[in-house]
Amino acid sequence: MADVLPLVEARLCTALGEPDARAAITFLGTDRIEVLRFRGEDQEGPLVRYATLGMSAHPMTDPTALVADPVKGPRAELVLSVRQGRADTDKVLRPLAVLAASPQVEGVVVAPGASLDLGEPLWPGAGFTSVLVAEPGGLVEDLELDEPLDPVRFLPLLPMTPNEAAYKRVHGAQALQERWLTHGTDLRDPLRRSVPLD
């Protein structure tokens, strides 16, 4: 069976351009996870995008399944976009690799609407210790693989403050996203404060 990672990297490069930096991190008992850094921009100015490479090498397995299926199951990589130059966001490489390794380490299935909690700031001085997994398809299109493999989905990560994470636990991801939208929150601002939640 073909190695999916070269195909995943090619899809990332097609969507985001060539990476200008990459880091590889290996955790005990897991495969290597790389984090690629891409430069880009939107209407507001320059962006840095970080994408994991390695999470999709194996399908994610339902933690309640008795036997892990080595072929079938959802596959994903994580993508984080932040405004360039406002914070030392390059320190997010290790936390991103930790999140990407969580399906192998903890047996979780990462899907849109889920919260991933690090328990520590995403980068030094960050007001975010967790992320909300958003719907894929906007920035990087799903990568279809040969049957019977599931497609690789590129899941955007939206940093959450502890208050936002608590709100999401009670009211759900949709309610939090509506708050962000109502208040015109720039989710790519690495220095933003929590959205008003009352």
Side-chain angles (χ1 to χ4, degrees):
M1 192 164 298
D3 183 2
V4 302
L5 295 185
L7 302 175
V8 170
E9 183 169 356
R11 173 57 53 92
L12 284 168
C13 291
T14 298
L16 305 176
E18 287 298 315
D20 72 343
R22 61 200 305 149
I25 300 172
T26 306
F27 302 102
L28 191 63
T30 68
D31 292 340
R32 184 171 87 150
I33 302 282
E34 286 191 88
V35 181
L36 312 184
R37 185 180 71 189
F38 301 87
R39 304 285 182 182
E41 56 183 73
D42 65 6
Q43 299 87 341
E44 308 292 319
L47 294 172
V48 186
R49 302 190 198 279
Y50 302 94
T52 63
L53 180 64
M55 182 178 171
S56 61
H58 305 284
M60 293 181 275
T61 305
D62 183 338
T64 61
L66 295 175
V67 180
D69 188 323
V71 177
K72 285 204 67 65
R75 294 174 189 257
E77 297 289 354
L78 308 176
V79 182
L80 173 70
S81 301
V82 291
R83 304 240 164 264
Q84 184 178 324
R86 297 188 187 174
D88 189 9
T89 55
D90 277 353
K91 296 286 196 305
V92 79
L93 300 180
R94 185 173 178 78
L96 269 184
V98 168
L99 296 178
S102 61
Q104 285 185 65
V105 176
E106 298 167 29
V108 297
V109 175
V110 177
S115 303
L116 302 175
D117 197 336
L118 280 159
E120 62 183 43
L122 284 175
W123 53 82
F128 318 106
T129 57
S130 60
V131 293
L132 175 65
V133 182
E135 291 290 336
L139 188 61
V140 185
E141 285 185 29
D142 292 355
L143 172 64
E144 297 292 335
L145 300 173
D146 293 338
E147 291 288 344
L149 303 184
D150 287 28
V152 177
R153 305 171 86 198
F154 298 88
L155 302 172
L157 300 181
L158 307 176
M160 293 189 291
T161 66
N163 285 348
E164 290 170 341
Y167 183 90
K168 186 257 176 190
R169 276 194 295 277
V170 174
H171 300 283
Q174 186 67 38
L176 177 58
Q177 289 177 302
E178 284 170 9
R179 284 243 165 222
W180 283 336
L181 201 57
T182 300
H183 291 274
T185 306
D186 181 2
L187 296 171
R188 294 171 172 172
D189 182 355
L191 301 177
R192 75 172 181 85
R193 301 193 180 283
S194 186
V195 71
L197 297 170
D198 37 319

